């Protein structure tokens, strides 16, 4: 068991770990998946502290970083790793940053509502989001092999143009990034989001068979797959009532909500 001043490490099974940042208002989760040949790290957190300190304690395998989407709270420690993968539609954000999102706003969001002592080397006034070239680009249907473990990439735009979900086929774990989580609304109200795409993506994941557990990137760690039935109902409701557009507000369902 790893005890850390900033990260909370939770073991999902003997080869899968959640690395969480509960001291920040966004309650971000990153996920380390170990195969018998290499490992995958789904996102790298906020960058308030260095997640590589944790992964170094959990594995000596080489690590491929799989980016669910290029928002600051999911790429914070990307610079600590050599191999970074991102969907082609989010590549420009990874290389050049998100147009229209000021560094002042990023620094304000990263440093507010902190409930744990901050690392001594963290300074919100000088915080810089990662920018850099990816090792390679992902597309829908790509398969990443960790040896005895196969990860399938689903392109699920809406929250970002290149947002992806990752299916661990062997275990039935679906890692949904910011497409599906509980407690706080799933955001698709920024100019860079697309409500219609988000609803299409929710429908897409609701049709994936043999899901044993859903792991979103915020809030509760692990949602039962029964929620996908509610997702199907929500998709139908949002479309029939012509709500899949900007400005229609927060729509609450059993176990999750969306904000357009």
């Amino acid at each position: 068991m790893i005890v850390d001043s900033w990260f909370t490490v939770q073991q999902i099974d003997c080869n899968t770990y959640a690395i969480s940042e509960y001291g920040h208002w966004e309650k971000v989760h990153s996920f380390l998946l170990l195969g018998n040949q290499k490992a995958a790290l789904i996102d790298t957190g906020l960058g308030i502290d260095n997640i590589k300190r944790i992964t170094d304690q959990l594995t000596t395998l080489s690590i491929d970083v799989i980016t669910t989407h290029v928002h600051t709270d999911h790429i914070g420690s990307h610079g600590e790793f050599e191999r970074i993968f991102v969907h082609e539609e989010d590549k420009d954000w990874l290389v050049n940053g998100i147009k229209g999102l000021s560094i002042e706003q990023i620094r304000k969001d990263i440093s507010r509502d902190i409930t744990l002592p901050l690392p001594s080397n963290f300074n919100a006034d000088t915080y810089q989001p990662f920018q850099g070239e990816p090792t390679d680009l992902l597309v829908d249907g790509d398969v990443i092999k960790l040896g005895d473990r196969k990860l399938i990439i689903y392109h699920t735009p809406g929250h970002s143009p290149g947002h992806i979900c990752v299916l661990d086929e062997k275990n039935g774990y679906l890692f949904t990034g910011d497409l599906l989580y509980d407690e706080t609304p799933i955001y698709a109200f920024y100019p860079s989001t697309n409500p219609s795409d988000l609803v299409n993506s929710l429908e897409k994941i609701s049709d994936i068979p043999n899901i044993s557990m859903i792991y979103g990137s915020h809030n509760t760690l692990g949602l039962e797959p029964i929620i996908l039935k509610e997702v199907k109902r929500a998709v139908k409701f949002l479309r029939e009532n012509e709500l899949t557009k900007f400005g229609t507000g927060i729509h609450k369902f059993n176990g999750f909500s969306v904000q357009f």
Side-chain angles (χ1 to χ4, degrees):
M1 179 178 168
I2 295 174
V3 177
D4 189 83
S5 57
W6 181 253
F7 297 101
T8 300
V9 180
Q10 297 164 89
Q11 191 165 5
I12 293 170
D13 63 37
C14 61
N15 291 310
T16 311
Y17 298 86
I19 306 170
S20 307
E21 298 176 73
Y22 289 117
H24 189 269
W25 63 276
E26 292 193 85
K27 296 181 173 60
V28 178
H29 307 298
S30 305
F31 299 93
L32 181 66
L33 284 58
L34 308 180
N36 63 1
Q37 293 180 9
K38 64 179 180 178
L41 180 61
I42 300 175
D43 294 339
T44 63
L46 290 150
I48 288 174
D49 208 344
N50 182 1
I51 203 170
K52 191 171 185 292
R53 181 177 73 246
I54 302 299
T55 60
D56 282 349
Q57 295 176 67
L58 293 170
T59 187
T60 57
L61 293 165
S62 65
I63 293 175
D64 287 353
V65 170
I66 301 173
T67 314
T68 61
H69 62 295
V70 179
H71 285 163
T72 307
D73 51 324
H74 300 276
I75 61 169
S77 288
H78 269 40
E80 302 294 330
F81 298 90
E82 292 181 5
R83 292 172 54 79
I84 297 168
F85 296 83
V86 68
H87 190 274
E88 56 188 354
E89 293 294 326
D90 268 15
K91 179 193 173 183
D92 184 62
W93 287 2
L94 192 72
V95 175
N96 300 308
I98 300 174
K99 293 174 182 64
L101 181 58
S102 70
I103 188 64
E104 290 79 15
Q105 186 63 49
I106 289 170
R107 289 171 177 170
K108 181 181 175 183
D109 286 339
I110 206 80
S111 59
R112 70 177 174 89
D113 300 331
I114 304 288
T115 57
L116 285 175
L118 284 166
S120 58
N121 59 352
F122 175 74
N123 182 351
D125 295 332
T126 58
Y127 178 88
Q128 289 286 344
F130 172 83
Q131 286 181 225
E133 289 282 346
T135 305
D136 207 348
L137 300 178
L138 300 169
V139 298
D140 187 64
D142 273 352
V143 175
I144 296 173
K145 294 179 180 177
L146 308 180
D148 60 341
R149 203 169 184 179
K150 186 167 74 172
L151 308 180
I152 301 171
I153 303 302
Y154 288 83
H155 182 212
T156 51
H159 183 69
S160 81
H163 188 286
I164 62 167
C165 293
V166 182
L167 176 66
D168 174 5
E169 191 176 57
K170 181 179 180 181
N171 295 296
Y173 303 153
L174 181 64
F175 298 91
T176 53
D178 280 9
L179 176 62
L180 182 61
Y181 51 77
D182 68 354
E183 293 183 5
T184 53
I186 296 150
Y187 291 158
F189 61 84
Y190 301 126
S192 59
T193 63
N194 186 310
S196 179
D197 282 353
L198 186 98
V199 171
N200 291 341
S201 293
L202 285 169
E203 181 177 48
K204 184 174 184 172
I205 66 165
S206 75
D207 289 328
I208 299 173
N210 304 316
I211 302 300
S212 65
M213 206 67 176
I214 293 160
Y215 292 99
S217 291
H218 297 277
N219 305 329
T220 299
L221 180 65
L223 302 175
E224 296 290 340
I226 190 72
I227 198 173
L228 294 176
K229 288 188 176 180
E230 182 69 1
V231 168
K232 275 186 179 293
R233 190 184 76 80
V235 166
K236 186 170 184 286
F237 175 84
L238 290 166
R239 286 177 178 159
E240 286 180 351
N241 290 278
E242 298 183 359
L243 296 169
T244 61
K245 54 192 176 186
F246 288 129
T248 60
I250 296 175
H251 310 290
K252 296 181 179 179
F253 303 98
N254 186 19
F256 73 102
S257 60
V258 295
Q259 184 172 358
F260 297 151

